[in-house]
Amino acid sequence: MPPDRLNINIFEEIDSTNDECKRISIENDLHIIIAEKQTKGKGRLGKKWSSPDTGNIYMSISTEKNLSCVPISLFTGLICKKSIDKTINKKKIGLKWPNDLVLDKKKIGGILVETESFNKKTRTIIGIGINLNLPKKESWWGDLSEFNIADKREILISEIISGFISALDNPDVKWLNEWRKACIHMNQEIEINKDGELLKNISFHDIDDNGCAIIKTKNGYDKFTSGEINIKGIY
Ligand code: BTN
């Protein structure tokens, strides 16, 4: 990994690696914050990301480079999926729209993308949480403990960072078909929240180039830029 393109700061404990990315100045292509624990870990849609235990991945990648060539949250999910598969040496990780990492029907990781304006520059902050080993496992959550990769955490982190470096260097990167293949709910019945109303009896048809979900309803097709979907039998 070219060190002149990155800054990495590692913390024993921090409020949230995403929030730290809002406080720093970015000198290189990527500035990465990694923490052993977070006291105010944040999830998508205003939820909390419980992060009291060491041994998991809590990291945020921040950049002021233009990443608009890809829908960053879906693309990050794909980078993480490929990095985990490579580290465990098995193709096991699936993706749930927009960017949940799934193993055997349980969520093992998630991504929170935020953007901020600093001195007329737009900063993208990509927060990644991956459960390697949850000591107090709740039935809803999964982790990667069955693969015994506790000693490969740094390798996994560097795979993810390398994925971002190559994305910066290859703006024409093709991601859509790989994402479709990794998706665990293509053409399946789902539910989705629209303006506070839970839409039922619909199916997940596809995604478009911008990462929007294309949903098939009885009246035709509808597009969603963000949200959360429910799928029967999956957390
Ligand atoms: C989700 O809700 O699925 C997204 C979870 C993102 C959690 C990560 S952990 C590192 C980074 N810092 C945070 O506060 N959140 C993200």
Side-chain angles (χ1 to χ4, degrees), residues 1 6-24 30-39 51 53-62 125-130 132 152-162 164:
M1 210 176 318
L6 307 173
N7 285 99
I8 303 185
N9 300 134
I10 301 175
F11 293 81
E12 263 311 304
E13 184 175 288
I14 200 160
D15 49 357
S16 150
T17 53
N18 268 36
D19 287 346
E20 177 63 10
C21 286
K22 296 177 189 169
R23 300 187 282 252
I24 54 176
L30 301 176
H31 196 130
I32 295 162
I33 305 292
I34 299 172
E36 294 296 327
K37 296 179 186 182
Q38 298 181 117
T39 52
S51 335
D53 305 308
T54 57
N56 300 305
I57 293 182
Y58 310 118
M59 68 187 279
S60 300
I61 299 175
S62 48
I125 298 163
I126 303 149
I128 300 170
I130 302 177
L132 266 64
K152 293 194 181 148
R153 193 172 73 125
E154 280 69 31
I155 297 178
L156 176 51
I157 289 174
S158 25
E159 286 293 340
I160 294 170
I161 297 171
S162 302
F164 274 94

Side-chain angles (χ1 to χ4, degrees), residues 209-227:
D209 284 341
N210 300 315
C212 297
I214 305 170
I215 303 299
K216 192 173 176 188
T217 72
K218 60 179 186 326
N219 302 321
Y221 295 92
D222 210 349
K223 259 191 198 186
F224 288 78
T225 49
S226 67

Side-chain angles (χ1 to χ4, degrees), residues 66-235:
N66 183 6
L67 289 173
S68 59
C69 49
V70 287
I72 195 65
S73 73
L74 273 78
F75 184 67
T76 304
L78 188 59
I79 289 180
C80 292
K81 175 242 174 337
K82 293 200 307 189
S83 303
I84 299 171
D85 282 349
K86 194 167 169 193
T87 310
I88 63 176
N89 206 13
K90 290 187 179 84
K91 287 203 166 142
K92 290 284 275 183
I93 303 301
L95 296 173
K96 175 173 177 265
W97 185 86
N99 47 24
D100 284 358
L101 301 165
V102 182
L103 171 69
D104 295 336
K105 303 188 174 168
K106 290 195 173 175
K107 177 162 172 168
I108 57 117
I111 292 147
L112 172 66
V113 179
E114 299 184 272
T115 49
E116 289 267 313
S117 285
F118 281 88
N119 305 327
K120 297 191 186 146
K121 283 190 187 157
T122 302
R123 179 173 297 188
T124 309
I125 298 163
I126 303 149
I128 300 170
I130 302 177
N131 301 333
L132 266 64
N133 193 350
L134 294 180
K136 303 177 281 295
K137 230 187 268 184
E138 297 158 46
S139 58
W140 200 80
W141 293 99
D143 67 17
L144 297 172
S145 52
E146 67 190 87
F147 304 109
N148 296 316
I149 54 159
D151 58 343
K152 293 194 181 148
R153 193 172 73 125
E154 280 69 31
I155 297 178
L156 176 51
I157 289 174
S158 25
E159 286 293 340
I160 294 170
I161 297 171
S162 302
F164 274 94
I165 301 260
S166 73
L168 287 179
D169 293 346
N170 300 292
D172 293 331
V173 61
K174 301 271 179 286
W175 62 276
L176 190 60
N177 279 334
E178 270 188 299
W179 200 96
R180 282 183 178 127
K181 271 192 214 148
C183 174
I184 56 166
H185 50 71
M186 242 354 139
N187 297 313
Q188 280 188 36
E189 189 177 328
I190 58 149
E191 295 173 348
I192 195 166
N193 210 300
K194 186 179 185 183
D195 308 325
E197 185 200 348
L198 192 62
L199 303 185
K200 296 184 178 203
N201 302 316
I202 55 177
S203 65
F204 195 95
H205 178 67
D206 201 358
I207 51 166
D208 70 8
D209 284 341
N210 300 315
C212 297
I214 305 170
I215 303 299
K216 192 173 176 188
T217 72
K218 60 179 186 326
N219 302 321
Y221 295 92
D222 210 349
K223 259 191 198 186
F224 288 78
T225 49
S226 67
E228 190 164 53
I229 59 173
N230 304 331
I231 313 157
K232 230 185 228 155
I234 297 176
Y235 56 89

